Amino acid sequence: MMSMMEMQYNNNNNGYVVEEYMIQEDEWDRDMLLDPAWEKQQRKTFTAWCNSHLRKAGTQIENIEEDFRNGLKLMLLLEVISGERLPKPDRGKMRFHKIANVNKALDYITSKGVKLVSIGAEEIVDGNVKMTLGMIWTIILRFAIQDISVEETSAKEGLLLWCQRKTAPYRNVNIQNFHCNWKDGLAFCALIHRHRPDLIDYSKLNKDDPLGNLNLALEIAEKHLDIPKMLDPEEIILHHNTPKPDERAIMTYVSCFYHAFAGAEQAETAANRICKVLGVNQENEKLMEEYERLASELLEWIRRTTPWLEKRSPESTMAAMRGKLEDFRDYRRMHKPPKVQEKCQLEISFNTLQTKLHISNRPAFMPSEGKMVSDITSAWHGLEHAEKGYEEWLLSEIRRLERVEHLAQKFTQKVATHESWAQGKDQLLTLKDYESASLTELRALLRKHEAFESDLAAHQDRVEQIAAIAQELNELDYHAAGVINERCQMICDQWDQLGTLTQKRREALERTEKLLETIDQLFLEFAKRSAPFNNWMEGAMEDLQDMFMVHSVDEVQSLISAHDQFKTTLPEADSERQAILSIYNEVQKIAQSYGISSKLTNIYCDITPAHINQTWEQVKRLVPQRGSTLQEELSQQHANERLRRQFAVQANAIGPWIQTRMEEIARSSVDLGGSLEDQMNQLKQYEHDIISYKPNIDKLEGDHQLIQESLIFDNKHTNYTMEHIRVGWESLLTTIARTINEIETQILTRDAKGISQQQLNEFRSSFTHFDRKKKGGMETDDFRACLISMGYDLGEAEFARIMCLVDPNGSGKVTFQAFVDFMTRETGDTDTSEQVVASFRILAADKPYILVDELRRELPPEQAEYCISRMPPYKGPEGVPGALDYAAFSTALYGESDL
């Protein structure tokens, strides 16, 4: 009857690779001899081990180096321990027959992946003790020890770890090796007591009686466990001049205990499986709680921030609105970027958690209501919509206030000019001077009034401009609109009154015009020409002092061209001025010719030659001042243009750079040329490059801030706005993070499901080929074609079953993750609720319930208390007080989460 380890090997002996430590231990020095004491121990132990198997075939050996020389019993030994047939042996007694048989045995050992270092058939046939013992040790390693593995350690380390775990609770036992730690016999007694406490009373053993302990252990093992005595107690106990016990002899004997108690290992295996399952659940619950917390914090920040961005309360001053703009910039620079990172990390954590749940056959995580990734995305879109509207509103309000302040100053200037002109006019129009005037004086008054009417008509345009400015200020919601309207109304009322008074005075003068006959034509002509000219000069002065608002070099150039055009009219105006002055000179000549008083006053107007000359000088002074102001504005607009170009140069470089990185990331996600680790390294390099590029974005933000502070609202040199760059940059950060997360997920899937890199590449290649629309998912017909290409014989019912697995929501698309899950699901080594139930049943000694003491004895403290706190009471038949329902608990592990 083959042992369990032998059966395991027979079912899995293809492509076997020997543990490295075997090769190392078998590379012994041919020139060195075994210590005589060790050789004696090995002879006895190896002989007993061989006989424990040979007796199954009805034979045994007496002398290990003699009885294996013809190769017959050696071949029989290999057949018994392997359960396989070896080639038919040669029955001759010649030396070459013996060598042929030994070679058949050695060839069989080699076929099992074992390297026979320095061991040849001739040496075995010649009875070489060292070589024969080395060969038997190689067989023991291969067929008795090699399959022992605890927590993925090597065979030797696994056997040592098994011994340490089994003897950990026992006093005076501390196993660190396979020689000195066994000399007092307590370790052997502890192994027996751990599995068969009915055979030994460990509490009565004495550490100072090693011989008694060893004899007790060896006798009980032989009598009750069918383990032959392979060791001499006297040879194991150390004395001053004797070597330590032979490690190979101890390992061989201990391996018999391992196989004898192999059935008991089921409980340990079951406990390990349960611990693994519980660990997965505990980790997933922590990740769910962390997601809920982070999602709540992010949604709360969005909830607090959105109303601030939606509030549109305009300010009455430019300084206050600039303060709002600066607060918005602080939000954009300092407060939002960390939240962008939090949102991205939240999505990555959600995807990683779902992958872990899927890999461990757990149901998908459903966050609390309102905390889905889609809810966060929707809230984020609302935030960005409010943010965009708020920024547009801020800039619009700043433009409005700039225009309002400009119009208010212009209104004040024009009103001051008009009020200065209109001051006292109503008093002059109500004078009764015509009642006592002579005819000449009366006609002079009439002509003077005609000149005033001409002047009044010339001022009509200014009054209309004042009213128009007031109307525009009202439309722009100027904060002092009431004051503006009041002053405008006063001017209009005053203007109407002046019109009425002017009309009344003309009527009065015309009534007495027949009484007046003479009028000084020269004064009249002077008055008629000087008044319009004076009005032109006043208008010119007004235009030269007029405020302007421009936003481009072309607009300033247009004003400069207009100013240059105005300067070309000055010679003609000067000619008119001299002509008007010549009229007055002619009056002086006539007065002198006819003896008229030299103190004659032009009764038709108040304009004097001195006034004309003084105003003309003012006009000439204002011309260069206006030119200088325009040149300063031109310099400012050139500076603004440099800002535009500086921004454009950077934006035109950054925009394509972002697009190129996006394309590189997209290409890397479908590149099948290397391993996932190679892709991850490439993506990490991309991520490093992107992070290193951040100062360029910050510099562009700085230039954008200068542009906004200079109130520059357009840029013809680039199609990229700061908003475009921000959106592209945030998209790039999100894309690289998500792509890295996808590769991490694939690595996690590959490692968890035992997929090789080559298999994963094949899966990705097939998926990419049949993802014909390149949208990250195979459509139903494409998926069917993919399966057929991979050798699946699909009927409608089978295909419908597979579609339910890979597309449970009926979306009509099969994602790469679902495709990989399908390809590995039926062969993958994943735990299920049935496996966990079976493991608990082993710990419960096949009972339908388990007790608290059993959980605490078989599981580590943390996992035991986790089960006790969550496992419901057992309500079935044959229950006892305190019984717990492990089946309901195991099923719940794979059900919906309480979170």
Side-chain angles (χ1 to χ4, degrees):
M1 191 68 181
M2 291 181 292
S3 70
M4 183 181 295
M5 301 304 291
E6 292 164 356
M7 290 297 293
Q8 289 175 351
Y9 177 77
N10 290 336
N11 293 329
N12 187 25
N13 63 358
N14 291 326
Y16 194 89
V17 180
V18 179
E19 302 285 358
E20 290 185 3
Y21 88 91
M22 289 178 59
I23 300 173
Q24 175 183 336
E25 291 201 0
D26 285 336
E27 291 177 349
W28 14 329
D29 189 347
R30 291 177 60 92
D31 297 330
M32 293 183 63
L33 297 176
L34 281 173
D35 182 278
W38 283 3
E39 180 180 326
K40 182 179 180 182
Q41 290 177 17
Q42 285 188 17
R43 277 174 178 270
K44 179 177 179 62
T45 302
F46 290 179
T47 299
W49 183 86
C50 292
N51 285 335
S52 69
H53 293 283
L54 287 173
R55 70 186 180 189
K56 299 173 186 176
T59 186
Q60 64 178 15
I61 61 172
E62 299 294 336
N63 188 310
I64 196 166
E65 71 270 22
E66 290 294 332
D67 294 348
F68 283 140
R69 290 179 63 181
N70 62 5
L72 295 177
K73 289 189 177 182
L74 179 60
M75 294 178 68
L76 179 61
L77 174 66
L78 290 174
E79 288 185 348
V80 171
I81 63 177
S82 69
E84 298 180 8
R85 296 292 297 177
L86 269 66
K88 186 176 181 181
D90 291 0
R91 291 300 178 179
K93 297 183 179 181
M94 303 295 290
R95 175 179 172 82
F96 73 88
H97 291 121
K98 298 177 181 180
I99 291 176
N101 289 335
V102 173
N103 270 329
K104 290 175 182 178
L106 296 181
D107 290 344
Y108 176 78
I109 296 172
T110 303
S111 72
K112 297 303 179 181
V114 179
K115 286 187 177 181
L116 294 170
V117 181
S118 304
I119 298 177
E122 292 82 358
E123 294 166 312
I124 304 301
V125 172
D126 292 338
N128 185 310
V129 178
K130 178 182 177 183
M131 292 299 125
T132 302
L133 291 175
M135 177 189 67
I136 298 301
W137 173 241
T138 299
I139 294 172
I140 293 172
L141 278 175
R142 173 60 189 83
F143 293 99
I145 298 178
Q146 184 167 292
D147 287 339
I148 298 174
S149 179
V150 179
E151 293 186 355
E152 301 180 358
T153 60
S154 67
K156 179 180 179 180
E157 293 168 344
L159 184 61
L160 185 64
L161 181 58
W162 178 80
C163 294
Q164 290 170 340
R165 286 186 173 180
K166 295 301 179 182
T167 60
Y170 293 87
R171 58 182 174 81
N172 298 324
V173 178
N174 181 20
I175 299 177
Q176 300 297 326
N177 53 54
F178 283 111
H179 39 78
C180 297
N181 296 148
W182 303 83
K183 67 180 182 178
D184 58 10
L186 290 179
F188 292 112
C189 293
L191 283 178
I192 296 172
H193 182 268
R194 178 62 184 268
H195 296 90
R196 292 290 303 275
D198 56 308
L199 298 179
I200 290 181
D201 186 353
Y202 188 85
S203 62
K204 294 182 179 180
L205 299 180
N206 185 356
K207 180 176 177 63
D208 297 329
D209 183 17
L211 185 60
N213 296 336
L214 286 168
N215 280 321
L216 176 64
L218 268 62
E219 289 173 1
I220 290 177
E222 184 176 40
K223 182 177 180 181
H224 297 282
L225 303 178
D226 197 26
I227 299 176
K229 289 184 178 180
M230 300 183 183
L231 304 172
D232 283 329
E234 293 80 1
E235 294 176 353
I236 296 177
I237 299 173
L238 295 177
H239 294 292
H240 292 294
N241 298 319
T242 58
K244 60 187 178 181
D246 180 62
E247 183 178 56
R248 296 178 178 180
I250 298 293
M251 282 182 66
T252 301
Y253 189 56
V254 171
S255 70
C256 294
F257 281 86
Y258 179 89
H259 293 298
F261 299 132
E265 299 306 310
Q266 293 180 354
E268 184 173 351
T269 301
N272 288 338
R273 178 182 292 278
I274 291 170
C275 290
K276 176 183 176 184
V277 171
L278 296 179
V280 170
N281 264 55
Q282 290 171 308
E283 180 184 359
N284 290 341
E285 287 175 5
K286 290 179 182 178
L287 291 176
M288 293 176 193
E289 293 171 357
E290 180 68 8
Y291 174 87
E292 290 279 330
R293 182 184 67 79
L294 293 177
S296 298
E297 292 177 357
L298 181 58
L299 286 170
E300 174 62 19
W301 179 81
I302 294 174
R303 186 191 66 77
R304 294 196 314 269
T305 305
T306 302
W308 171 67
L309 294 172
E310 291 175 341
K311 187 177 181 181
R312 307 286 195 271
S313 55
E315 301 291 344
S316 59
T317 64
M318 180 72 81
M321 285 306 298
R322 285 185 181 273
K324 282 182 177 288
L325 181 61
E326 188 59 35
D327 291 341
F328 180 71
R329 290 199 187 103
D330 288 342
Y331 155 80
R332 186 67 72 62
R333 287 194 305 263
M334 296 183 293
H335 302 301
K336 184 183 177 186
K339 299 302 176 183
V340 172
Q341 185 63 32
E342 287 180 18
K343 175 178 174 289
C344 180
Q345 187 59 47
L346 196 63
E347 293 177 0
I348 291 172
S349 299
F350 181 82
N351 292 335
T352 301
L353 173 59
Q354 298 293 39
T355 299
K356 288 185 175 181
L357 290 171
H358 191 73
I359 290 172
S360 59
N361 287 337
R362 303 315 194 266
F365 169 51
M366 289 296 294
S368 301
E369 184 176 357
K371 296 179 184 177
M372 293 288 290
V373 172
S374 58
D375 296 323
I376 295 172
T377 301
S378 177
W380 189 265
H381 286 164
L383 174 77
E384 291 189 327
H385 179 74
E387 177 184 310
K388 186 175 186 298
Y390 187 67
E391 184 176 31
E392 292 174 352
W393 173 77
L394 280 176
L395 297 178
S396 174
E397 275 299 298
I398 289 175
R399 294 191 193 101
R400 183 186 68 81
L401 286 176
E402 181 190 33
R403 176 67 176 168
V404 163
E405 291 186 2
H406 171 72
L407 290 175
Q409 293 179 12
K410 193 168 186 177
F411 178 86
T412 301
Q413 184 184 59
K414 285 187 176 292
V415 167
T417 301
H418 174 76
E419 289 177 341
S420 176
W421 172 85
Q423 186 176 9
K425 291 294 191 292
D426 55 343
Q427 297 175 0
L428 292 175
L429 290 172
T430 57
L431 287 176
K432 302 295 185 178
D433 52 352
Y434 56 83
E435 293 180 350
S436 59
S438 63
L439 180 60
T440 303
E441 291 173 338
L442 183 61
R443 287 187 174 179
L445 288 175
L446 183 59
R447 300 298 183 270
K448 181 178 180 181
H449 188 70
E450 289 175 352
F452 174 76
E453 287 180 327
S454 177
D455 193 16
L456 184 68
H459 278 77
Q460 175 70 33
D461 182 57
R462 181 180 292 115
V463 174
E464 292 175 353
Q465 289 177 5
I466 290 172
I469 293 173
Q471 177 63 27
E472 187 172 355
L473 286 172
N474 274 314
E475 293 172 353
L476 292 173
D477 295 330
Y478 181 48
H479 68 278
V483 177
I484 294 294
N485 290 335
E486 184 179 345
R487 294 189 70 184
C488 182
Q489 187 61 46
M490 289 177 59
I491 289 173
C492 291
D493 293 344
Q494 183 186 45
W495 184 258
D496 292 341
Q497 183 183 12
L498 285 177
T500 302
L501 292 175
T502 300
Q503 181 62 29
K504 289 181 179 179
R505 183 170 179 79
R506 166 169 279 283
E507 292 173 355
L509 290 173
E510 287 178 347
R511 282 196 302 269
T512 57
E513 183 179 12
K514 293 179 181 180
L515 302 176
L516 303 175
E517 295 178 349
T518 58
I519 186 169
D520 190 342
Q521 294 297 325
L522 289 175
F523 275 158
L524 179 58
E525 183 180 358
F526 178 87
K528 288 183 177 181
R529 295 181 67 176
S530 64
F533 181 72
N534 187 64
N535 188 64
W536 174 86
M537 287 193 296
E538 288 180 351
M541 290 174 61
E542 203 174 304
D543 291 339
L544 290 170
Q545 298 178 84
D546 189 20
M547 297 178 64
F548 55 83
M549 182 176 66
V550 295
H551 296 95
S552 68
V553 173
D554 292 342
E555 291 178 7
V556 179
Q557 292 285 12
S558 178
L559 291 177
I560 292 174
S561 298
H563 185 63
D564 292 339
Q565 183 65 31
F566 170 75
K567 289 194 292 186
T568 62
T569 65
L570 291 179
E572 182 181 351
D574 191 38
S575 298
E576 176 66 11
R577 179 184 65 86
Q578 292 177 7
I580 293 171
L581 293 178
S582 68
I583 294 174
Y584 204 90
N585 292 335
E586 185 66 20
V587 170
Q588 296 296 327
K589 288 180 183 179
I590 293 174
Q592 291 175 3
S593 299
Y594 295 96
I596 301 174
S597 173
S598 60
K599 295 183 179 180
L600 290 174
T601 302
N602 189 340
I603 61 176
Y604 304 117
C605 71
D606 294 330
I607 300 172
T608 65
H611 175 75
I612 290 175
N613 287 331
Q614 181 181 2
T615 304
W616 177 254
E617 291 300 321
Q618 289 178 346
V619 169
K620 290 198 296 182
R621 284 198 303 273
L622 288 174
V623 168
Q625 291 178 8
R626 177 73 168 184
S628 176
T629 301
L630 290 172
Q631 288 299 323
E632 290 176 0
E633 183 62 29
L634 180 63
S635 298
Q636 180 61 46
Q637 290 302 324
H638 277 302
N640 290 351
E641 185 66 11
R642 284 194 295 274
L643 287 177
R644 289 188 183 95
R645 292 181 182 276
Q646 181 176 331
F647 178 88
V649 168
Q650 295 183 82
N652 290 337
I654 291 174
W657 187 89
I658 291 176
Q659 181 63 31
T660 300
R661 299 294 83 73
M662 292 286 282
E663 292 171 356
E664 288 176 348
I665 295 170
R667 285 196 300 271
S668 72
S669 65
V670 298
D671 181 15
L672 303 180
S675 66
L676 290 176
E677 284 74 11
D678 293 338
Q679 290 188 55
M680 178 62 72
N681 292 335
Q682 182 65 58
L683 288 170
K684 290 291 187 182
Q685 182 60 48
Y686 289 156
E687 184 180 44
H688 177 269
D689 295 342
I690 291 169
I691 293 172
S692 301
Y693 200 74
K694 181 63 165 57
N696 296 290
I697 305 297
D698 295 338
K699 184 177 186 304
L700 192 65
E701 283 280 10
D703 291 343
H704 178 64
Q705 182 172 346
L706 293 176
I707 284 177
Q708 285 194 327
E709 290 173 352
S710 299
L711 299 178
I712 300 171
F713 303 110
D714 60 342
N715 194 339
K716 65 182 180 181
H717 304 297
T718 180
N719 292 326
Y720 293 101
T721 65
M722 195 63 232
E723 183 63 23
H724 291 150
I725 297 300
R726 290 187 191 120
V727 171
W729 179 250
E730 291 180 4
S731 176
L732 181 61
L733 291 176
T734 301
T735 299
I736 187 64
R738 285 177 178 169
T739 306
I740 288 175
N741 178 244
E742 289 173 1
I743 298 301
E744 289 174 341
T745 299
Q746 292 184 27
I747 292 174
L748 184 64
T749 301
R750 180 197 66 190
D751 295 343
K753 294 183 177 294
I755 306 172
S756 69
Q757 183 65 51
Q758 181 180 359
Q759 286 177 307
L760 192 58
N761 285 344
E762 291 174 357
F763 294 160
R764 293 169 66 200
S765 177
S766 297
F767 181 85
T768 302
H769 176 74
F770 286 98
D771 178 16
R772 304 188 193 279
K773 294 186 177 180
K774 306 305 177 188
K775 291 186 177 180
M778 290 186 285
E779 295 186 351
T780 303
D781 291 340
D782 294 333
F783 178 57
R784 184 194 296 273
C786 179
L787 292 180
I788 292 173
S789 73
M790 300 176 74
Y792 280 80
D793 183 12
L794 296 174
E796 289 301 323
E798 176 64 11
F799 184 68
R801 182 191 72 81
I802 294 174
M803 284 303 297
C804 288
L805 294 175
V806 299
D807 184 20
N809 297 323
S811 65
K813 290 192 179 296
V814 180
T815 66
F816 178 70
Q817 185 63 49
F819 178 63
V820 173
D821 289 341
F822 169 73
M823 296 303 296
T824 58
R825 181 180 289 108
E826 297 182 3
T827 58
D829 183 20
T830 56
D831 58 89
T832 64
S833 60
E834 291 79 7
Q835 291 173 331
V836 178
V837 170
S839 297
F840 272 118
R841 184 176 293 278
I842 292 173
L843 300 187
D846 211 33
K847 299 190 300 294
Y849 58 84
I850 194 166
L851 300 176
V852 172
D853 291 341
E854 291 174 327
L855 287 171
R856 287 177 173 156
R857 182 177 68 246
E858 299 294 346
L859 297 178
E862 182 180 354
Q863 278 73 25
E865 297 307 319
Y866 181 84
C867 292
I868 294 168
S869 64
R870 297 173 183 241
M871 199 173 283
Y874 177 72
K875 298 180 180 179
E878 302 176 5
V880 298
L884 300 176
D885 190 344
Y886 59 78
F889 172 75
S890 301
T891 304
L893 288 178
Y894 294 83
E896 294 296 331
S897 170
D898 292 334
L899 289 178

